[in-house]
Amino acid sequence: MKGVSNEATNTDKMQAHQMKVKPSDALRHEDVDLMVCTDLVDQAQTCVLNGSLSHASVLEVLNANPEDKALSSDADPQMLIKVVFK
């Protein structure tokens, strides 16, 4: 029948078109250290609440940390970490 929509044919055409299109860079995943490799983190406003002064600060942990310094809570098991991006 002429002029009648055929969903199976349309679906096949869409799938063939999608196979011809190269993958987008937007879907590519790449690990990046936001503190060391970029200037995206506002270090002046980034902070941690309930952090112990006897352990590392939030910036020491987020920056290059070869000594594996850790954050620790001063009062309870909960810490609130606020990272501000520019």
Side-chain angles (χ1 to χ4, degrees):
M1 295 172 50
K2 188 174 182 176
V4 175
S5 176
N6 184 347
E7 288 184 29
T9 302
N10 290 340
T11 301
D12 291 340
K13 288 179 182 177
M14 287 188 286
Q15 288 177 344
H17 174 72
Q18 288 298 326
M19 291 177 71
K20 290 180 184 177
V21 176
K22 68 178 184 174
S24 171
D25 285 340
L27 300 177
R28 189 177 52 140
H29 176 78
E30 183 178 344
D31 290 334
V32 176
D33 189 337
L34 295 177
M35 285 290 290
V36 176
C37 298
T38 66
D39 191 28
L40 293 176
V41 177
D42 186 350
Q43 295 184 21
Q45 294 185 31
T46 298
C47 64
V48 62
L49 300 178
N50 293 348
S52 173
L53 297 176
S54 63
H55 287 81
S57 71
V58 66
L59 294 178
E60 289 176 313
V61 172
L62 292 178
N63 281 316
N65 189 3
E67 296 89 26
D68 287 333
K69 295 178 183 176
L71 290 170
S72 178
S73 176
D74 63 352
D76 56 21
Q78 183 181 32
M79 282 194 308
L80 302 173
I81 302 171
K82 177 181 173 185
V83 179
V84 180
F85 295 94
K86 294 180 181 176

